[in-house]
Amino acid sequence: MADHGSGSKRPATQVVTGGRRKTWTGAVVNPPVWRGSTHLYDDVAHLRDGLKSNGDGKFFYGRRGSPTQWSLAEALTEMEPGAVGTMLYPSGVAAISCALLAVLEPGDEVLLTDSSYDPSRSFADTFLKRMGVTAGYYDPTIGSNITGQFGPNTKAILMESPGSLTFEIQDVPAICEAARNAGVVTLLDNTWATSRFFPALEHGVDIAIIAATKYIVGHSDVMMGAVTTHNGYWTRVRRTAQQLGQVVSPDDAYLAARGLRTLEVRLRQHEASALKIANWLKQRPEVGLVLHPALPECPGHEIWQRDFKGSSGLFSFELEDGNEQSRAAFIDALDLFGIGYSWGGFESLALPVDPGKHRTATEWTIKGALVRLNIGLEDPDDLIADLAKAFEHYHSATR
Ligand SMILES: *Cc1c(COP(=O)(O)O)cnc(C)c1O
């Protein structure tokens, strides 16, 4: 079989073929787990030769990975049109922190969306602050008005679209264009859509970040992050990750690659089931807003329609007259939904979320109690029956 390297294949094919070079797989389908810290050289000349290049695909030392990690990184790069490389990190948070550290210096300002994933916020407000970087926050619906937030020291913008609790879709192309004109680098946390539903670099983003823990791994058994970028930032992103000692284990890379191979069918099922459940929730008298980018009431829905190729399985809804106690009664009554952090796995999850606590640039005006659902791969009608039963418990708690 020939090596797979062309980026011209359709996405469903790419997730199957990506990174499976024959030199890495040998005679089997999946690149084996190459466990190793030391890589042995043939002779001293070969050892010296190893210092000459710093790229994937050449043995050097365990910290720079092995075919197991290179293959996964290459597959992720192929899925992102315009990208030249991908670095892997031991978590999504590590990917975000290292990407920011790759572009920021003391004295800089970074702008973050007010809908940011909370650990991103906390990294900016504490670690980056200590480093002499100031953080500013902007309304996720700001669009090209982002220019009004640019100061003399603005260096980078960290977007997240949609926000992972509140699901506002941002006008990423408009923000990126404004940033490019001002010499500001753009980063996007693209965990919800992945490059499959939102090819970030094609929409103007410089540095695309994914918590691979979610949909790439897809089975709730591995933590991993990935940063994919174009020529302009690749060397910086790579060097920074290496200097900070970022490496993922070959066992984890193997599992993540195994998850990736079914990404297309999983995402399509997550999408269909989540839409079915979101539409069912909309009809319930107990429910106020359903914050799902594919539904018109979600802020930025028109932008989702314009820019995205699909929607995934994570969304929130409002228990209109809910409070802490009745919301807890609702969630506790669910059998098929686990209670826990993270998402993107094959199993459904429910989480109470309170986005108002994390806002500084905008006011959170929704009064009811918010529940975030990760819709897994169970039969959606069973999930709906489970939710219907939980509403009965909710009523007893509100009465
Ligand atoms: C989970 C998550 C992360 C962090 O990923 P970890 O692998 O859990 O560190 C980052 N961004 C978003 C939007 C997430 O949901």
Side-chain angles (χ1 to χ4, degrees), residues 90-94 96 117 119-120 160 162-164 189 191-192 210-214 222-225 314 342-343 372:
S91 70
V93 163
I96 294 167
Y117 181 60
S120 303
E160 195 179 315
S164 68
D189 182 334
T191 303
W192 184 86
I210 283 186
T213 307
K214 314 291 167 55
V222 173
M223 305 288 300
M224 196 175 294
L314 189 80
S342 204
W343 47 279
R372 189 182 77 175

mmCIF file of all heavy atoms in Angstrom, residues 90-94 96 117 119-120 160 162-164 189 191-192 210-214 222-225 314 342-343 372, ligand 1:
data_model
loop_
_atom_site.group_PDB
_atom_site.id
_atom_site.type_symbol
_atom_site.label_atom_id
_atom_site.label_comp_id
_atom_site.label_asym_id
_atom_site.label_seq_id
_atom_site.Cartn_x
_atom_site.Cartn_y
_atom_site.Cartn_z
ATOM 1 N N PRO A 90 -0.004 16.912 26.992
ATOM 2 C CA PRO A 90 -0.668 15.940 27.868
ATOM 3 C C PRO A 90 -2.071 16.330 28.333
ATOM 4 O O PRO A 90 -2.710 15.554 29.046
ATOM 5 C CB PRO A 90 0.293 15.807 29.059
ATOM 6 C CG PRO A 90 1.141 17.015 29.008
ATOM 7 C CD PRO A 90 1.194 17.492 27.607
ATOM 8 N N SER A 91 -2.562 17.500 27.945
ATOM 9 C CA SER A 91 -3.958 17.868 28.221
ATOM 10 C C SER A 91 -4.324 19.051 27.341
ATOM 11 O O SER A 91 -3.435 19.722 26.781
ATOM 12 C CB SER A 91 -4.165 18.247 29.699
ATOM 13 O OG SER A 91 -3.531 19.478 29.984
ATOM 14 N N GLY A 92 -5.603 19.331 27.251
ATOM 15 C CA GLY A 92 -6.041 20.516 26.524
ATOM 16 C C GLY A 92 -5.534 21.783 27.188
ATOM 17 O O GLY A 92 -5.141 22.739 26.513
ATOM 18 N N VAL A 93 -5.533 21.798 28.509
ATOM 19 C CA VAL A 93 -5.045 22.982 29.229
ATOM 20 C C VAL A 93 -3.561 23.230 28.916
ATOM 21 O O VAL A 93 -3.146 24.371 28.701
ATOM 22 C CB VAL A 93 -5.292 22.836 30.750
ATOM 23 C CG1 VAL A 93 -4.452 23.804 31.550
ATOM 24 C CG2 VAL A 93 -6.766 23.060 31.050
ATOM 25 N N ALA A 94 -2.770 22.174 28.861
ATOM 26 C CA ALA A 94 -1.346 22.336 28.517
ATOM 27 C C ALA A 94 -1.210 22.918 27.112
ATOM 28 O O ALA A 94 -0.343 23.783 26.864
ATOM 29 C CB ALA A 94 -0.625 20.989 28.603
ATOM 30 N N ILE A 96 -3.334 24.921 25.551
ATOM 31 C CA ILE A 96 -3.714 26.342 25.589
ATOM 32 C C ILE A 96 -2.594 27.174 26.220
ATOM 33 O O ILE A 96 -2.162 28.187 25.671
ATOM 34 C CB ILE A 96 -5.030 26.529 26.383
ATOM 35 C CG1 ILE A 96 -6.192 25.866 25.634
ATOM 36 C CG2 ILE A 96 -5.318 27.999 26.633
ATOM 37 C CD1 ILE A 96 -7.461 25.709 26.460
ATOM 38 N N TYR A 117 -13.221 29.200 28.473
ATOM 39 C CA TYR A 117 -13.085 28.049 29.366
ATOM 40 C C TYR A 117 -12.380 28.544 30.630
ATOM 41 O O TYR A 117 -11.341 29.223 30.548
ATOM 42 C CB TYR A 117 -12.241 27.006 28.639
ATOM 43 C CG TYR A 117 -12.000 25.714 29.362
ATOM 44 C CD1 TYR A 117 -13.060 24.894 29.747
ATOM 45 C CD2 TYR A 117 -10.712 25.277 29.614
ATOM 46 C CE1 TYR A 117 -12.829 23.692 30.382
ATOM 47 C CE2 TYR A 117 -10.471 24.059 30.241
ATOM 48 C CZ TYR A 117 -11.532 23.289 30.631
ATOM 49 O OH TYR A 117 -11.310 22.093 31.258
ATOM 50 N N PRO A 119 -10.336 27.513 33.055
ATOM 51 C CA PRO A 119 -8.887 27.406 33.264
ATOM 52 C C PRO A 119 -8.055 28.324 32.338
ATOM 53 O O PRO A 119 -6.954 28.746 32.717
ATOM 54 C CB PRO A 119 -8.595 25.926 32.978
ATOM 55 C CG PRO A 119 -9.884 25.227 33.307
ATOM 56 C CD PRO A 119 -10.947 26.179 32.857
ATOM 57 N N SER A 120 -8.568 28.655 31.140
ATOM 58 C CA SER A 120 -7.861 29.608 30.264
ATOM 59 C C SER A 120 -7.840 30.975 30.926
ATOM 60 O O SER A 120 -6.829 31.676 30.960
ATOM 61 C CB SER A 120 -8.560 29.742 28.897
ATOM 62 O OG SER A 120 -8.658 28.504 28.265
ATOM 63 N N GLU A 160 -12.925 31.400 21.551
ATOM 64 C CA GLU A 160 -13.498 30.087 21.793
ATOM 65 C C GLU A 160 -14.898 30.150 21.200
ATOM 66 O O GLU A 160 -15.705 30.968 21.609
ATOM 67 C CB GLU A 160 -13.554 29.841 23.305
ATOM 68 C CG GLU A 160 -13.785 28.399 23.667
ATOM 69 C CD GLU A 160 -13.814 28.212 25.188
ATOM 70 O OE1 GLU A 160 -12.956 28.769 25.888
ATOM 71 O OE2 GLU A 160 -14.726 27.518 25.651
ATOM 72 N N PRO A 162 -18.068 27.661 19.740
ATOM 73 C CA PRO A 162 -18.833 28.380 20.755
ATOM 74 C C PRO A 162 -18.163 28.290 22.129
ATOM 75 O O PRO A 162 -17.282 27.464 22.323
ATOM 76 C CB PRO A 162 -20.152 27.594 20.783
ATOM 77 C CG PRO A 162 -19.764 26.192 20.425
ATOM 78 C CD PRO A 162 -18.655 26.328 19.437
ATOM 79 N N GLY A 163 -18.601 29.146 23.061
ATOM 80 C CA GLY A 163 -18.177 29.008 24.448
ATOM 81 C C GLY A 163 -18.703 27.677 24.971
ATOM 82 O O GLY A 163 -19.808 27.275 24.611
ATOM 83 N N SER A 164 -17.938 27.004 25.806
ATOM 84 C CA SER A 164 -18.301 25.626 26.142
ATOM 85 C C SER A 164 -19.328 25.506 27.267
ATOM 86 O O SER A 164 -19.711 24.402 27.644
ATOM 87 C CB SER A 164 -17.048 24.806 26.455
ATOM 88 O OG SER A 164 -16.464 25.248 27.648
ATOM 89 N N ASP A 189 -9.690 28.211 20.574
ATOM 90 C CA ASP A 189 -10.003 26.927 21.211
ATOM 91 C C ASP A 189 -11.150 26.330 20.398
ATOM 92 O O ASP A 189 -12.286 26.788 20.470
ATOM 93 C CB ASP A 189 -10.398 27.164 22.674
ATOM 94 C CG ASP A 189 -10.694 25.856 23.419
ATOM 95 O OD1 ASP A 189 -11.068 24.864 22.760
ATOM 96 O OD2 ASP A 189 -10.564 25.850 24.654
ATOM 97 N N THR A 191 -12.289 23.150 20.343
ATOM 98 C CA THR A 191 -12.605 21.821 20.874
ATOM 99 C C THR A 191 -14.004 21.340 20.488
ATOM 100 O O THR A 191 -14.198 20.173 20.164
ATOM 101 C CB THR A 191 -12.450 21.830 22.412
ATOM 102 O OG1 THR A 191 -11.109 22.238 22.720
ATOM 103 C CG2 THR A 191 -12.698 20.461 23.015
ATOM 104 N N TRP A 192 -14.980 22.238 20.491
ATOM 105 C CA TRP A 192 -16.372 21.844 20.243
ATOM 106 C C TRP A 192 -16.590 21.364 18.807
ATOM 107 O O TRP A 192 -17.231 20.349 18.565
ATOM 108 C CB TRP A 192 -17.308 23.019 20.559
ATOM 109 C CG TRP A 192 -18.773 22.728 20.451
ATOM 110 C CD1 TRP A 192 -19.574 22.195 21.420
ATOM 111 C CD2 TRP A 192 -19.630 22.969 19.323
ATOM 112 N NE1 TRP A 192 -20.875 22.096 20.955
ATOM 113 C CE2 TRP A 192 -20.926 22.567 19.668
ATOM 114 C CE3 TRP A 192 -19.425 23.505 18.043
ATOM 115 C CZ2 TRP A 192 -22.017 22.672 18.811
ATOM 116 C CZ3 TRP A 192 -20.508 23.599 17.188
ATOM 117 C CH2 TRP A 192 -21.787 23.181 17.564
ATOM 118 N N ILE A 210 -7.022 22.310 20.248
ATOM 119 C CA ILE A 210 -8.094 21.347 20.522
ATOM 120 C C ILE A 210 -7.773 20.584 21.809
ATOM 121 O O ILE A 210 -6.636 20.144 21.995
ATOM 122 C CB ILE A 210 -8.251 20.358 19.342
ATOM 123 C CG1 ILE A 210 -8.994 21.032 18.182
ATOM 124 C CG2 ILE A 210 -8.984 19.094 19.766
ATOM 125 C CD1 ILE A 210 -9.327 20.104 17.049
ATOM 126 N N ALA A 211 -8.776 20.461 22.682
ATOM 127 C CA ALA A 211 -8.641 19.509 23.782
ATOM 128 C C ALA A 211 -9.016 18.156 23.168
ATOM 129 O O ALA A 211 -10.190 17.815 23.044
ATOM 130 C CB ALA A 211 -9.570 19.882 24.932
ATOM 131 N N ALA A 212 -8.002 17.405 22.762
ATOM 132 C CA ALA A 212 -8.226 16.114 22.105
ATOM 133 C C ALA A 212 -8.876 15.118 23.059
ATOM 134 O O ALA A 212 -9.462 14.123 22.639
ATOM 135 C CB ALA A 212 -6.908 15.563 21.561
ATOM 136 N N THR A 213 -8.755 15.409 24.358
ATOM 137 C CA THR A 213 -9.447 14.652 25.410
ATOM 138 C C THR A 213 -10.915 14.420 25.048
ATOM 139 O O THR A 213 -11.484 13.390 25.410
ATOM 140 C CB THR A 213 -9.406 15.462 26.727
ATOM 141 O OG1 THR A 213 -8.055 15.819 27.016
ATOM 142 C CG2 THR A 213 -9.990 14.693 27.882
ATOM 143 N N LYS A 214 -11.506 15.373 24.350
ATOM 144 C CA LYS A 214 -12.938 15.321 24.069
ATOM 145 C C LYS A 214 -13.197 14.452 22.829
ATOM 146 O O LYS A 214 -13.169 13.247 22.928
ATOM 147 C CB LYS A 214 -13.479 16.751 23.933
ATOM 148 C CG LYS A 214 -12.987 17.701 25.041
ATOM 149 C CD LYS A 214 -13.557 17.369 26.403
ATOM 150 C CE LYS A 214 -12.876 18.051 27.564
ATOM 151 N NZ LYS A 214 -12.777 19.503 27.529
ATOM 152 N N VAL A 222 -8.450 9.097 27.953
ATOM 153 C CA VAL A 222 -7.120 9.691 27.766
ATOM 154 C C VAL A 222 -7.247 11.210 27.819
ATOM 155 O O VAL A 222 -8.218 11.768 27.306
ATOM 156 C CB VAL A 222 -6.526 9.307 26.381
ATOM 157 C CG1 VAL A 222 -5.224 10.054 26.125
ATOM 158 C CG2 VAL A 222 -6.283 7.800 26.286
ATOM 159 N N MET A 223 -6.257 11.860 28.441
ATOM 160 C CA MET A 223 -6.152 13.320 28.399
ATOM 161 C C MET A 223 -5.155 13.687 27.305
ATOM 162 O O MET A 223 -4.055 13.115 27.255
ATOM 163 C CB MET A 223 -5.606 13.866 29.721
ATOM 164 C CG MET A 223 -6.362 13.473 30.969
ATOM 165 S SD MET A 223 -7.951 14.293 31.138
ATOM 166 C CE MET A 223 -7.472 16.018 31.192
ATOM 167 N N MET A 224 -5.510 14.655 26.462
ATOM 168 C CA MET A 224 -4.552 15.105 25.456
ATOM 169 C C MET A 224 -4.973 16.446 24.850
ATOM 170 O O MET A 224 -6.157 16.752 24.782
ATOM 171 C CB MET A 224 -4.413 14.066 24.338
ATOM 172 C CG MET A 224 -3.175 14.308 23.499
ATOM 173 S SD MET A 224 -2.899 13.040 22.270
ATOM 174 C CE MET A 224 -2.571 11.635 23.309
ATOM 175 N N GLY A 225 -3.982 17.224 24.441
ATOM 176 C CA GLY A 225 -4.244 18.485 23.752
ATOM 177 C C GLY A 225 -3.459 18.535 22.465
ATOM 178 O O GLY A 225 -2.464 17.806 22.306
ATOM 179 N N LEU A 314 -22.636 18.808 22.435
ATOM 180 C CA LEU A 314 -22.620 19.494 23.730
ATOM 181 C C LEU A 314 -23.450 20.765 23.645
ATOM 182 O O LEU A 314 -23.234 21.595 22.761
ATOM 183 C CB LEU A 314 -21.167 19.854 24.091
ATOM 184 C CG LEU A 314 -20.944 20.384 25.501
ATOM 185 C CD1 LEU A 314 -20.906 19.233 26.501
ATOM 186 C CD2 LEU A 314 -19.639 21.183 25.591
ATOM 187 N N SER A 342 -15.713 17.168 31.791
ATOM 188 C CA SER A 342 -15.301 16.736 30.466
ATOM 189 C C SER A 342 -16.522 16.389 29.611
ATOM 190 O O SER A 342 -17.672 16.538 30.055
ATOM 191 C CB SER A 342 -14.321 15.570 30.517
ATOM 192 O OG SER A 342 -13.564 15.570 29.316
ATOM 193 N N TRP A 343 -16.279 15.980 28.385
ATOM 194 C CA TRP A 343 -17.352 15.699 27.416
ATOM 195 C C TRP A 343 -16.702 15.138 26.161
ATOM 196 O O TRP A 343 -15.484 14.975 26.117
ATOM 197 C CB TRP A 343 -18.172 16.962 27.106
ATOM 198 C CG TRP A 343 -17.391 18.213 26.799
ATOM 199 C CD1 TRP A 343 -16.818 19.064 27.704
ATOM 200 C CD2 TRP A 343 -17.092 18.774 25.512
ATOM 201 N NE1 TRP A 343 -16.196 20.116 27.076
ATOM 202 C CE2 TRP A 343 -16.351 19.958 25.721
ATOM 203 C CE3 TRP A 343 -17.407 18.402 24.194
ATOM 204 C CZ2 TRP A 343 -15.898 20.770 24.673
ATOM 205 C CZ3 TRP A 343 -16.960 19.210 23.156
ATOM 206 C CH2 TRP A 343 -16.221 20.375 23.414
ATOM 207 N N ARG A 372 -25.793 21.693 31.498
ATOM 208 C CA ARG A 372 -25.084 21.373 30.261
ATOM 209 C C ARG A 372 -25.148 19.869 30.023
ATOM 210 O O ARG A 372 -24.889 19.089 30.938
ATOM 211 C CB ARG A 372 -23.625 21.818 30.338
ATOM 212 C CG ARG A 372 -22.929 21.683 28.985
ATOM 213 C CD ARG A 372 -21.483 22.084 29.065
ATOM 214 N NE ARG A 372 -20.677 21.041 29.681
ATOM 215 C CZ ARG A 372 -19.344 21.086 29.794
ATOM 216 N NH1 ARG A 372 -18.695 22.142 29.342
ATOM 217 N NH2 ARG A 372 -18.693 20.104 30.370
HETATM 218 C C1 LIG B 1 -11.986 20.339 28.425
HETATM 219 C C2 LIG B 1 -11.662 21.588 27.710
HETATM 220 C C3 LIG B 1 -10.357 22.069 27.675
HETATM 221 C C4 LIG B 1 -9.230 21.420 28.439
HETATM 222 O O1 LIG B 1 -8.954 20.144 28.070
HETATM 223 P P1 LIG B 1 -8.298 19.116 29.139
HETATM 224 O O2 LIG B 1 -7.806 18.036 28.266
HETATM 225 O O3 LIG B 1 -9.412 18.722 30.041
HETATM 226 O O4 LIG B 1 -7.198 19.836 29.844
HETATM 227 C C5 LIG B 1 -10.121 23.213 26.962
HETATM 228 N N1 LIG B 1 -11.098 23.856 26.313
HETATM 229 C C6 LIG B 1 -12.365 23.440 26.327
HETATM 230 C C7 LIG B 1 -13.395 24.209 25.599
HETATM 231 C C8 LIG B 1 -12.691 22.298 27.045
HETATM 232 O O5 LIG B 1 -13.958 21.895 27.100
#
